[in-house]
Amino acid sequence: MKKHTTCAVAADQQLGSPARRRVFRIAAAGLAAGVGLNGRLAQAGSDGVAGPRVAIGDRLVEEDAEGLTVPLKVSDLTVGRPMLAFPYDAASKYARTDSRLNKVVLLRLPEEELDDDSKALSAGGVLAFSAVCTHQGCDLKTWMKGERVLACFCHSSKFDPLKQGKVVGGPAPRALPVLPLQLDGDEIVVAGEFSAAPGAAHQ
Amino acid sequence: MKCLLKRIVVGVAAALPATAVLAAGEYVPVTDARLANPEPANWLQYRGNYAGWGYSPLAQITDGNVGKLQLAWAFATGQVEGHQSPPIVNNGYMFVTTPGAQVIALEAKTGKELWRYKKQLPGELLQLHPTNRGVALYGDRVYVATVDAFLVALDAKTGKEIWTKQVGDWKALQYITLAPLAAKGKIMVGSSGGETGVRGFVAAFDAASGDELWRTYTTAAPGEPGGDSWPEGAYKNGGGSIWITGSYDPDTNLAYWGTGNPAPWPTEGRKGDNLYTGSTIALDVDSGALKGYFQYNPNDAWDWDEVSAPLLIDTEINGRKVKSAVHAGRNGYLWVLERDGAKLNFVNAYSYVNNNTIESIDPKTGRPTYFEERRPGMNKGDVHFCPALWGGKDWTPEAYNPKTGLFYVPANNNLCAELPEPEPTKYKKGDLYIGYPIEAILTGLRWGKDATDAPKTIGEIQAWDIKTGKQVWAHKFPTFNWGPLLTTAGNLVFAGGTNDRKFRAFDATTGKQLWEAATPSGVTGVPTSFEVDGEQYVAVQSGWGVDAQRMQGGIDLLLGHPTHVPQGGTVMVYKLAN
């Protein structure tokens, strides 16, 4: 899965280079009849952002933070109330807001509810997932306290945060990518890459 | 190696947006005269004619022989989600659109693909309503408006892109799902976004050059007529979205558009009538000037878009000739208005589904009075109201048959909703702008007032005589109905809309079911009829998704078990067995 992500990003970057594009056109002319077209691949990762979505060691900052951006701590999150956030490179003071595909939803749950697998991905009971629904790309920010799922307003896709974002209802075709976290003191820190490429395939 | 192949494919897609073209005979340009008086053999626009009837004068397939209807051909679109566009046909060429902003041109007789256009969509795009409701034909071009808010002109014979114009800002969650309206050298579209704080508009583009000619907003600014129906600034993100094709009267040059709900949903921050949301507006096609209107839902609190355009019908009411504009409202009333020049005068309104929200309708002005305890809001607790958020009828088009004189309505009855108290909300570009907790909306559907058990029937097709205001028949379904209607001179009504994948034909005079066939998915597509080489065909897209799927989710919560309706689009074309 990680390989796939790297590949898609690479294709994007290469498309940006004029020399590369010319080569592709030549290839296209020769292959059009045999290969046919594939819009879905053309879509992969096509948010026009060359930089990484997230880097290990990034902090997280609240999406709507006004004024100073302050890295989030566990105590900034209320149990059962999701928060939208962006990865933040503390050294360069750069919040990765240039693509909404970088957006994550943080959910704090009572630590005793997390099994070992979830604990390994969490920081003080806080779990992080891509906030972009894998169905049609809507923001995911609703915690259904009755069903204990993260739900999407657009088409009611439901994901279980305690099972690594597994789909448990609605039309979403794949799990919500998980972003592993760890603690540095009180601060929430990104501990790994997204488990899969964030976002939906539109075609 | 896998990576290399992928790069090459990406390159191919970027360089060649459309496949090579195979000739399929002469393409006959679509003129104003043809749109105003379409030949019976063709289905040239969204509802077949400018008046919005959804009526085919073809009569080879009749109530007597429809039982022999069988599949002529089927075509898999390769797309999932809601396939709602009508198969639009011009002299043997068929054009359908699919979710994901694709246009497919097919040979109408055989289903052979002639070309396919794919708009490349931004990776960051989110799609609240992944669907498209069809093309407009004009001259020798095909026009499609896309979910990332562009208008594209294509060559009808080759699919070659001629021009692309940005209509709205997808990053502000403006998006387009409607089929454009073509008239007098103009291509008219509007934008969706009633839940994302758009300011609704209709915009006209020059069919030849793509230049924007005018843009008329549906929420009135200060100083404009109706500007005082909003508190300061609220009109800017006040909704009134436009997401269904307008009807058009060539005699007066007025286009009639239905407008969506005001935003956000709670009314506390937008006291006043909020003109021109929840209305039909009459726009002069040359200038875009708003010449007349009728508001069905002043200060709406229930998400009742009134987007389906009224059907324009010359009729007789109480011995008087009336140029009517008829609309089955999401608010549960069937509205009969009179087109008096540019004015839209109230004639009558008839409740067509269970309704506990509208107390009365002023017999002179048509203005509704609401039971205020049915208006959700601050300090009200949970408020129950009928009909539900999706209304007595959502966008699915009605139909009018001049032979039977009946007006047909695809309705949902016995469905209600509950909303809790609003939560504070502030407009933010790129975010939802609703004003209620999402969890409450997702779980808000209810059966009829005080009912705990599922009703025996929900979906209906109703037939009304608008001359007398009487319901003539109602065909009822155990499940809900999300089926656009087609009616024909063969005394037939065609519709899908139920979750059992069926597409059906009914006797237009009695409502009796005469034929049905299962399709690959559920049918929420607009059906059409056309003729090639002397044979009549009926066409519809099968492809469940969008709001039908969403409503099913709400009903499943009430039922306590999931209902599975398969997805995947197919163009289904039927004709009589030889």
Side-chain angles (χ1 to χ4, degrees), chain B residues 266 375-385 417-423 435-441 443-444 446:
Chain B
R375 177 191 296 277
M378 296 297 290
N379 306 315
K380 292 250 188 111
D382 293 338
V383 174
H384 179 107
F385 57 89
E418 200 167 279
L419 281 175
E421 301 213 353
E423 61 183 11
Y436 286 100
I438 301 303
E439 183 171 12
I441 298 171
T443 58
R446 298 286 182 275

Side-chain angles (χ1 to χ4, degrees), chain B residues 489-572:
Chain B
N491 192 38
L492 293 168
V493 172
F494 288 89
T498 50
N499 63 11
D500 55 5
R501 303 185 289 121
K502 298 287 178 64
F503 183 55
R504 302 179 170 90
F506 304 89
D507 183 310
T509 307
T510 66
K512 186 183 169 204
Q513 184 178 308
L514 302 174
W515 171 84
E516 69 173 20
T519 74
S521 177
V523 177
T524 60
V526 177
T528 68
S529 188
F530 61 93
E531 184 183 290
V532 180
D533 293 342
E535 276 190 297
Q536 184 185 355
Y537 296 80
V538 171
V540 73
Q541 289 203 86
S542 169
W544 193 252
V546 204
D547 276 295
Q549 170 191 283
R550 211 177 267 153
M551 182 182 265
Q552 187 70 63
I555 286 180
D556 286 351
L557 281 178
L558 294 174
L559 294 172
H561 61 78
T563 304
H564 297 290
V565 184
Q567 286 211 2
T570 314
V571 184
M572 307 291 292

Side-chain angles (χ1 to χ4, degrees), chain B residues 393-542:
Chain B
K393 182 194 81 69
D394 196 273
W395 71 271
T396 52
E398 314 95 315
Y400 172 70
N401 189 323
K403 287 219 159 171
T404 62
L406 297 179
F407 185 91
Y408 303 96
V409 181
N412 280 310
N413 209 342
N414 306 316
L415 275 184
C416 304
E418 200 167 279
L419 281 175
E421 301 213 353
E423 61 183 11
T425 183
K426 203 172 121 187
Y427 175 74
K428 192 182 120 205
K429 180 180 169 179
D431 203 355
L432 295 173
Y433 187 53
I434 299 180
Y436 286 100
I438 301 303
E439 183 171 12
I441 298 171
L442 292 177
T443 58
L445 209 55
R446 298 286 182 275
W447 305 130
K449 189 178 175 298
D450 302 325
T452 50
D453 297 332
K456 285 198 175 67
T457 64
I458 299 173
E460 301 181 1
I461 298 174
Q462 303 180 2
W464 287 77
D465 182 348
I466 52 171
K467 290 181 181 168
T468 61
K470 297 272 185 275
Q471 191 185 96
V472 177
W473 56 260
H475 189 100
K476 302 188 179 186
F477 303 100
T479 60
F480 64 90
N481 174 17
W482 213 279
L485 301 180
L486 160 72
T487 184
T488 73
N491 192 38
L492 293 168
V493 172
F494 288 89
T498 50
N499 63 11
D500 55 5
R501 303 185 289 121
K502 298 287 178 64
F503 183 55
R504 302 179 170 90
F506 304 89
D507 183 310
T509 307
T510 66
K512 186 183 169 204
Q513 184 178 308
L514 302 174
W515 171 84
E516 69 173 20
T519 74
S521 177
V523 177
T524 60
V526 177
T528 68
S529 188
F530 61 93
E531 184 183 290
V532 180
D533 293 342
E535 276 190 297
Q536 184 185 355
Y537 296 80
V538 171
V540 73
Q541 289 203 86
S542 169

Side-chain angles (χ1 to χ4, degrees), chain B residues 251-306:
Chain B
D251 292 342
T252 58
N253 199 32
L254 293 171
Y256 295 88
W257 297 85
T259 66
N261 60 284
W265 291 2
T267 56
E268 276 83 359
R270 50 173 177 82
K271 296 212 183 306
D273 284 356
N274 311 138
L275 293 168
Y276 299 87
T277 64
S279 305
T280 290
I281 55 174
L283 302 185
D284 180 89
V285 164
D286 288 337
S287 65
L290 191 147
K291 299 285 192 180
Y293 77 98
F294 181 84
Q295 189 176 42
Y296 306 100
N297 303 321
N299 198 228
D300 166 69
W302 304 274
D303 187 27
W304 287 338
D305 300 67
E306 299 296 356

Side-chain angles (χ1 to χ4, degrees), chain A residues 121-160:
Chain A
L121 296 165
S122 72
V126 177
L127 289 159
F129 300 89
S130 165
V132 180
C133 183
T134 56
H135 176 227
Q136 293 291 345
C138 298
D139 275 8
L140 248 155
K141 54 183 178 183
T142 300
W143 172 243
M144 307 276 276
K145 38 186 189 300
E147 296 177 64
R148 304 195 66 72
V149 293
L150 281 167
C152 179
F153 169 73
C154 283
H155 314 97
S156 299
S157 288
K158 292 172 184 172
F159 304 90
D160 188 340

Side-chain angles (χ1 to χ4, degrees), chain A residues 173-184:
Chain A
R174 64 187 178 98
L176 215 49
V178 189
L179 185 67
L181 301 178
Q182 61 187 26
L183 276 179
D184 180 4

Side-chain angles (χ1 to χ4, degrees), chain B residues 118-171:
Chain B
K118 300 177 182 179
K119 173 83 168 65
Q120 182 155 323
L121 298 173
E124 288 185 86
L125 182 73
L126 69 84
Q127 296 194 54
L128 187 52
H129 294 94
T131 188
N132 187 283
R133 302 195 182 87
V135 299
L137 304 182
Y138 201 70
D140 53 7
R141 293 180 183 177
V142 175
Y143 297 87
V144 63
T146 63
V147 71
D148 58 344
F150 283 80
L151 177 62
V152 183
L154 303 169
D155 182 294
K157 276 198 79 168
T158 66
K160 190 175 157 244
E161 194 174 318
I162 294 167
W163 51 255
T164 297
K165 297 287 171 179
Q166 187 170 6
V167 179
D169 178 4
W170 63 264
K171 290 190 172 176

Side-chain angles (χ1 to χ4, degrees), chain B residues 21-29 90-93 95 106-108 112 114-115 155-158:
Chain B
V21 172
L22 306 164
E26 202 61 29
Y27 186 81
V28 184
N90 180 22
N91 283 50
Y93 285 80
F95 304 94
L106 301 162
E107 195 171 79
K112 182 165 94 179
L114 302 174
W115 52 260
D155 182 294
K157 276 198 79 168
T158 66

